[in-house]
Amino acid sequence: METKNCQNCKKDFVIEPDDFNFYKKINVPPPTWCPGCRFQRRLAFLNWITLYKRACANCNESIISNLRDGTPYRVFCPKCWFGDTWDGTEYGMDYDPNRNFFEQLAELKDKSTFMAIENLYSTLVNSPYVNATAYQKDCFMVFNADYGERTAYCMVYAHVADSLDGYRFKEVELCYECVGMYKSYHCIYSEELDSCTDTHFSRSCSGCVDCVGCINLRNKSNCIFNQQYSKEEYKKKVAEMRLDTREGIESMLQQSREFFMTQPRRATAGNGLNVNTTGDFIYESKNTKDSYMVSSVEDSRFVQMLTMGPTKNCYDYTNWGYGAENLYECLTVGESAYNDHFSAQCWPNALNLEYCFYANQSKDCFGCYNLKRKQYCILNKQYTKEEYLVLREKIIADMKTNPYTDEKGRVWSYGEFFPFMFSPFAYNETMADYYFPLSKNEIIEGGMQWHDIPDSEHTTTMTADQVPETVADIDDAIQKEIIECAECKKGFRITTLEIQLHRKIGVPFPVKCWKCRFKRRFNTVNPPQLYDRFCMKCEKEIKTSYVPERSEIVYCETCYQQEAN
C-alpha cells in the first residue's frame, strides 16, 4: 500500500496492493492523479449533448455535430467519415525524437478528420439526431444508448422501446420521465424500479404492478403511498388524482417527494445479484470496487457508465463495455475491445491501442487520431510489425525521460491519459461539467477550455401556460409552434415522434425544454462519490452516496432489507 499526492487536486490517495498487481500485469506505471481527478479528466473528452449545426467538410451537407464551427478540426458527416475514400494515413507523421511526443500528437490531432457525431453509423436506421449510440431505429435525441426503438430524449440505456425522457434504462418499454429503470413497462415519474408495470411516482420498488407513490415495496399491487387497496378502490382513487393532467402530475410529484422523505433509503443503489462490490448503481457484477453506474462487470475498479456487459479486468474505464477486457484509462472504447490503454472513442474490436483517439476497427497502434481499419501505425504512419515494436518502445522511453508539462506544472509522462487541453471540446460542453461542475474562472484557472455557448435563436409562438393541459386536447398542429420553456425561457419544438409517444403512454405534453427536463432527472441521481455515515437504525458505519448533511433516512443494507416490504 502506498499513499500518493494527486498532481491535480493535491489531495492524498491510496494505491492498494491489488492495484499495483493490475498495473504490473498490464505493464504501466501507477497513477499520479487520484481516482476522482482521473474520472473528471476522462469526462472532459466526452460531449454527448452539446450539439451544433454545421456543414460536412466533404459533401457540404447540413449536419449536427458535437464539434462547433470555429474549432481547427475538419469534420465529416457519418457517411463520409465511415466511407472508403480515406483511412487516416494521409495525415501520417514521422516521429521526431527531439520533440515531445504529446506535442507531436497535438499536431496530428489538429490536421486529422473528426466524425461529426460518435455513432456506430452502420447500425442506425432513421435516427440522424442521436449521439454516442449504436443499434437505434426511429430514435430522436438519445445519447449513450444501445439497442433502442422509437425513443426520444433518453440517455444511458440499453434495449429500450417507445419511451421518452429517461435516464439509465435497461430493458424498458413505454416509460416516461423515469430514472434507473430495469425490466419495467409503462411507468411514469419513477426512480430505481425493477420488474414493475404501471407503477407511477414510485421509488425503489421491485415486482410491483398498479402502484402510485410507493417506495421500498416488493411484489405488491394496487398500493398508494404503500397502503394496500382493493382493485376497485385503487382504480377509483387513481382516477381522482387526474394523472392525465399537468396539475395532477405536479400534485402527485410533491406528495410523493414528501412521503419518500419519511421512508428509509439504501446506502447505495444496485441489486442483489452483486458479489463483493462497492460503489453505487452496480448491477449483476462481481469483484468490482469503487465503481458507478455499471452492469455485468467483473474484477474491475474505478469504472463508470458501463451499460453493456460483459466487462472484465478493467481499471479507470468510462462508458460502454460490451465485451471489453484489460482496459486502463479509456473512454468510450468498447464492443470487443481488448488490452487498450490511454485511449478514447475507439470501436469496435479495438485491440492493443495506446494513446489513440477515434481509431476505428484498428489494432496494435500507438498515438493515432482518426484512423480506420489499420494495424502497426504510429502517429498515423504505417510500419511493419518489427518497425512498430521497436519505435513504440523508443517513444515510451522518450515519454518517461522527456514528459510533457502543462502550464499548471502538471507532468504528463507515459501512463497518463491525454492532457485536458487535448480535448476537442470546451470543458463546459462536456459531461465533466455535469458531474464536476465548475465556474468559468475555475475552468480557465484549471488549465481547461471554456466556450460561451450561444443560445438558440428562436422566436417563441406559444407560452408554457398555453400548452393544453391533457394529451387528449393536443392537436398535431402543435408541431408548428415554438414553445417557451417554463424554466429557462428558451424555445423548443414538439416532434411527431413525441406526439405519438405521449398519446401512447397517456401523459400530457411538457412545458419545459428537453435540457431542463434532463437536468431534473440528472439531479435526482446521487453523484459518484461515497461518504462515511452511520446507519440511522443500527448505527453501523456505512459508505453511502448520500452526503451526511442530507436529511434522507439512510440505512445499511441489512436494515434496509429488513424494512423493505
Side-chain angles (χ1 to χ4, degrees), residues 31-191:
T32 64
W33 290 43
C34 70
C37 288
R38 300 197 300 265
F39 180 34
Q40 179 187 25
R41 182 170 59 182
R42 293 190 298 276
L43 288 178
F45 289 74
L46 186 65
N47 177 8
W48 285 341
I49 66 175
T50 307
L51 303 179
Y52 304 92
K53 286 186 177 180
R54 63 179 300 163
C56 171
N58 188 51
C59 69
N60 206 37
E61 289 289 324
S62 178
I63 56 173
I64 64 163
S65 175
N66 59 5
L67 286 161
R68 65 186 182 277
D69 271 332
T71 61
Y73 313 117
R74 190 163 73 150
V75 176
F76 280 8
C77 68
K79 183 178 180 179
C80 291
W81 197 93
F82 283 97
D84 296 328
T85 59
W86 68 284
D87 60 21
T89 56
E90 299 86 349
Y91 317 111
M93 297 169 49
D94 289 314
Y95 172 66
D96 183 352
N98 297 313
R99 295 176 60 199
N100 180 274
F101 170 74
F102 276 118
E103 292 174 356
Q104 297 176 68
L105 191 58
E107 182 181 334
L108 173 65
K109 170 178 69 79
D110 289 348
K111 66 180 184 180
S112 67
T113 300
F114 281 78
M115 63 175 74
I117 44 179
E118 298 155 0
N119 299 314
L120 195 54
Y121 171 67
S122 62
T123 69
L124 304 184
V125 178
N126 190 32
S127 303
Y129 298 103
V130 298
N131 189 28
T133 69
Y135 308 101
Q136 305 296 314
K137 182 179 179 182
D138 301 325
C139 295
F140 180 76
M141 296 297 279
V142 299
F143 310 97
N144 192 35
D146 291 283
Y147 297 98
E149 191 165 352
R150 297 178 306 279
T151 63
Y153 302 116
C154 292
M155 183 181 294
V156 187
Y157 75 61
H159 301 285
V160 173
D162 295 309
S163 295
L164 278 165
D165 290 290
Y167 181 44
R168 294 179 39 240
F169 281 4
K170 186 174 182 180
E171 298 179 42
V172 163
E173 187 175 352
L174 284 176
C175 287
Y176 175 67
E177 277 288 6
C178 290
V179 175
M181 307 292 286
Y182 179 53
K183 291 187 176 181
S184 293
Y185 178 85
H186 196 239
C187 301
I188 66 170
Y189 289 99
S190 291
E191 303 169 23

